[in-house]
Amino acid sequence: MKYEHIIFDIDGTLLDTEFAVLHSLQDIVMQHLNRCIPIGELTFALGIPGEVTLANLGIKDIKEANKCWNDKMVKYQHHIRLFDGVRNMLDALHNKGYRLGVITSKTKEEYKTDFIPHGVGHYFDSVICVDDSAKPKPNPDPLFTYLKRNRVLAKDVIYIGDTQYDSMCAHSAGVDFGLALWGCHNSNNIECEYQFESPDKIVMEYGKQ
């Protein structure tokens, strides 16, 4: 195997959370700032920690707003699903002997409430949430934490995600990056070693090795 570990982002890579994230954020902005910001102007929030998003929007009580945001997500929970092919991909890679991991901008609590219910958490040997490292993506700290925790070298790892933040995190840590095109809004200028059109393409690339 070229890689021993295949690490995934969650939102936009494993889970299709875009509708729920952006519409609940729109609700929070209205609640805290009394402004209706179009969904298209909130897409910058995808892939970064909630507290960073709220600070960028000028919300003062970030802790309270972030709690409200998580509560609002429940309203849109029925829109959240695994992307097509993800479950089969994880099963195939796991059966092939790869160590699978997660690096996400979700908090540990958000990971438990947003991701675990989808029934694929058992595939992952190691999960790095935003509270597990000193600085969030796009800083390399989450990947450094993963490498140290698993005693693995950067050359033996690939990180797969859908945003520029994921790419920057990977390359700053000396790790190869695979771009998940199925969840990516704009692949222009996102540096990557590989592009995958669908989860099945990952299985074709690594499941055969």
Side-chain angles (χ1 to χ4, degrees), residues 108-133:
K108 291 177 183 176
E109 186 61 30
E110 289 166 348
Y111 175 80
K112 290 177 184 176
T113 58
D114 298 349
F115 185 66
I116 289 299
H118 294 274
V120 293
H122 62 284
Y123 287 113
F124 301 104
D125 298 307
S126 187
V127 175
I128 305 298
C129 295
V130 72
D131 9 29
D132 288 316
S133 57

Side-chain angles (χ1 to χ4, degrees), residues 20-71:
V21 167
L22 296 183
H23 282 78
S24 56
L25 177 58
Q26 188 181 52
D27 290 348
I28 291 301
V29 172
M30 175 58 75
Q31 180 178 324
H32 284 259
L33 299 178
N34 198 30
R35 292 170 55 200
C36 183
I37 298 181
I39 292 296
E41 295 179 21
L42 295 174
T43 55
F44 75 91
L46 299 172
I48 61 175
E51 292 186 357
V52 176
T53 294
L54 296 170
N56 288 344
L57 287 167
I59 291 176
K60 301 301 182 184
D61 192 345
I62 292 175
K63 186 175 181 180
E64 174 60 23
N66 204 34
K67 181 181 181 302
C68 290
W69 190 4
N70 287 329
D71 292 341

Side-chain angles (χ1 to χ4, degrees), residues 8 64 99 172 205:
F8 294 92
E64 174 60 23
R99 298 282 302 278
S172 296
E205 179 68 27

